[in-house]
Amino acid sequence: MRAPLQFVLDFFTGGDPVMPAAPTMAPLVQPSEPPPASPPTGAPPLRVLPTPETTDFTHPNANRHAVLHGMTVSFLFERSRRRSIGFLVGAEGLVVRAPSWVTLREVDAAVQEKGAWIVAKLQQFKQRQTEQFQQAIEWTHGAHVPFLGGTVQLCVLERGTPLHEASPDVQRLPVSVPPGASTTQVREVAEAWLKKQARNLFEQRLQHFAPLLGVRWSKLSLSSANTRWGSARIDGHIRLNWRLIHLPVSQIDYVVVHELAHLREMNHSPRFWETVGEVMPDYAQRRKALKQAPMGLAQD
C-alpha cells in the first residue's frame, strides 16, 4: 500500500543571482512526464509577458509550470529517491522533487496546495537579492556606483554649489540635494540620473538593432521589476529594466536584441534563437555573462 504524501518545504538562501529564464509555456497538467529541459544554446533568460504588469518566476531549466495566486511559476521538476514531495526555493527559482510513485497530477495538486508559501518565498528571495545589491552601494559623496560595466563617482553637492572640474579619468555622477539631505534622498536623485542615462542609451541601441532585425518598436518604457530584465509586446512596446545601466553595453545589447527578436517570434522556439543569432552570433556568451551579473535580478 502506497505511503501517504508528505510535503517537505525547504528554503535555501545564498548563491549567485541568476537571470529569470522562461521556456515556452506548457499546460499545467501535461499528459505525460516530461524529460529534463534541454534548452537551445543560450537558454532563454527572459520571458515575453501578455501584459507588462504580470509578475512571474521562472527557473532557467524549467520543465513544468503552474499559475499560483495569479502569478506564473515555471519550475524544475525532478524525480528523486526521497520519500516525499520537496519544494526548494533558491537563487534560480523553484525546484520540486518527488519519488517515482507520485503521479504528475499529485505533484501539480501539491504545488497548488503550497502556492501561497511558494510565491511568498520566491518574492522574499528576489527582494533580498535586490536589497543586497542596492545596499552594497554607499550613497555618499565619493562613493563608486556601477555604470556600464565600470563605475562613476558620486558627487554630492548642496544646491547652488558649483561642480568643480575633476580629472578626465574620473566620470562623475552629480547629485544636487538640499542641505542636510538624507542618504535616501541622495539615492533617489542619483537613480533619477541613472534612469535618464538608461533611457537615452536604450533608445540608441533599439534604433541600431531594429533595422538589422527588420522590426519596428513603438514605445520604450523603463521597468523596475525585481524578476526580469525586459519584456516585449506584439504591438512593439518594449520594456527594459533601468538597472541594466549598471552592466556592460554588450550585455545591454543582448537584452535589446532579445526583446526586438520577439517582435518577429513571440516565443523561444529555435526560430527565435536563429533570429537573435542573425545579428548577435555570440549571444550565448553574452547571456551567460548576464546570468552571472551581481544584481538582485538574477535579477533585480
Side-chain angles (χ1 to χ4, degrees), residues 268-290:
H268 288 120
S269 66
R271 288 181 61 182
F272 167 80
W273 292 107
E274 290 173 3
T275 300
V276 175
E278 287 178 11
V279 298
M280 190 170 285
D282 64 341
Y283 71 86
Q285 290 85 352
R286 298 187 191 216
R287 175 220 169 238
K288 183 177 180 180
L290 180 65

Side-chain angles (χ1 to χ4, degrees), residues 39-121:
T41 303
L46 309 169
R47 84 172 261 97
V48 181
L49 305 174
T51 62
E53 293 78 20
T54 302
T55 301
D56 65 358
F57 300 92
T58 309
H59 191 286
N61 296 320
N63 54 12
R64 215 159 171 75
H65 320 279
V67 177
L68 307 175
H69 294 264
M71 299 183 184
T72 300
V73 177
S74 298
F75 59 93
L76 174 62
F77 173 67
E78 298 177 330
R79 292 293 184 181
S80 71
R81 297 180 123 184
R82 62 182 300 126
R83 300 177 62 184
S84 59
I85 297 177
F87 300 82
L88 289 73
V89 175
E92 294 187 321
L94 174 65
V95 178
V96 179
R97 295 190 176 98
S100 59
W101 53 264
V102 176
T103 68
L104 291 176
R105 186 179 297 275
E106 290 171 320
V107 170
D108 289 334
V111 170
Q112 290 294 325
E113 181 177 339
K114 301 302 177 184
W117 181 90
I118 291 170
V119 170
K121 292 304 181 185

Side-chain angles (χ1 to χ4, degrees), residues 31-42:
S32 60
E33 180 175 335
S38 299
T41 303

Side-chain angles (χ1 to χ4, degrees), residues 118-134:
I118 291 170
V119 170
K121 292 304 181 185
L122 287 168
Q123 290 175 330
Q124 289 173 16
F125 196 95
K126 292 301 180 184
Q127 182 63 30
R128 183 176 294 114
Q129 289 179 317
T130 301
E131 291 173 353
Q132 289 173 346
F133 176 77
Q134 292 179 345

Side-chain angles (χ1 to χ4, degrees), residues 194-241:
L194 291 168
K195 289 176 181 178
K196 181 178 180 181
Q197 306 304 311
R199 177 175 289 278
N200 290 339
L201 178 61
F202 296 168
E203 288 180 348
Q204 292 174 13
R205 305 317 290 157
L206 286 167
Q207 291 169 0
H208 172 75
F209 284 110
L212 299 179
L213 287 164
V215 299
R216 288 187 178 185
W217 57 281
S218 60
K219 179 181 178 181
L220 168 66
S221 296
L222 297 186
S223 164
S224 299
N226 290 334
T227 56
R228 67 180 53 80
W229 292 114
S231 65
R233 296 177 59 175
I234 197 167
D235 62 2
H237 185 181
I238 303 292
R239 290 173 64 89
L240 297 174
N241 198 304

Side-chain angles (χ1 to χ4, degrees), residues 141-264:
H141 181 74
H144 292 276
V145 178
F147 183 73
L148 296 179
T151 62
V152 289
Q153 189 175 46
L154 193 61
C155 184
V156 182
L157 301 170
E158 290 187 359
R159 286 177 183 168
T161 304
L163 181 66
H164 298 293
E165 291 187 8
S167 167
D169 298 330
V170 178
Q171 185 173 4
R172 295 193 297 187
L173 193 170
V175 174
S176 178
V177 294
S182 66
T183 301
T184 300
Q185 289 175 295
V186 172
R187 184 187 70 194
E188 289 174 350
V189 177
E191 287 186 349
W193 184 90
L194 291 168
K195 289 176 181 178
K196 181 178 180 181
Q197 306 304 311
R199 177 175 289 278
N200 290 339
L201 178 61
F202 296 168
E203 288 180 348
Q204 292 174 13
R205 305 317 290 157
L206 286 167
Q207 291 169 0
H208 172 75
F209 284 110
L212 299 179
L213 287 164
V215 299
R216 288 187 178 185
W217 57 281
S218 60
K219 179 181 178 181
L220 168 66
S221 296
L222 297 186
S223 164
S224 299
N226 290 334
T227 56
R228 67 180 53 80
W229 292 114
S231 65
R233 296 177 59 175
I234 197 167
D235 62 2
H237 185 181
I238 303 292
R239 290 173 64 89
L240 297 174
N241 198 304
W242 71 265
R243 292 184 178 89
L244 282 165
I245 200 65
H246 294 306
L247 305 180
V249 174
S250 62
Q251 294 173 34
I252 296 173
D253 280 352
Y254 166 72
V255 179
V256 169
V257 170
H258 186 114
E259 298 309 334
L260 287 173
H262 276 309
L263 302 184
R264 282 173 54 180

Side-chain angles (χ1 to χ4, degrees), residues 4-17:
L5 291 179
Q6 297 179 11
F7 303 132
V8 179
L9 309 181
D10 299 315
F11 179 49
F12 286 77
T13 58
D16 294 330

